[in-house]
Amino acid sequence: MNVELWIVGEGDLIPYLSKIKENTNIKIVNRYIDNCKIPEFFHMADFLILPHIEATQSGVIPLAYAFGKPVIASNV
């Protein structure tokens, strides 16, 4: 089975770069995602993982719902 982990969106990945570089199945798009590109990423996904350690609000969960994608999220 071919599995890929995509990390999409802006964020500080410096603490994780050594782990990321060890795994060729991790793809990174570390930048702001323009609204016109959002469907492209959602259509590729089987599900979404939101490992937030803090958050005030996020539009990702309603978007996932709109695209029919399940979400695994931390309890924040």
Side-chain angles (χ1 to χ4, degrees), residues 41-61:
F41 291 106
F42 275 91
H43 287 302
M44 288 188 322
D46 292 318
F47 58 91
L48 282 76
I49 300 173
L50 304 177
H52 296 147
I53 56 174
E54 62 178 284
T56 55
Q57 67 181 33
S58 175
V60 176
I61 292 174

Side-chain angles (χ1 to χ4, degrees), residues 1-5 25-26:
M1 172 182 0
N2 186 19
V3 176
E4 289 182 338
L5 169 64
N25 290 345
I26 298 175

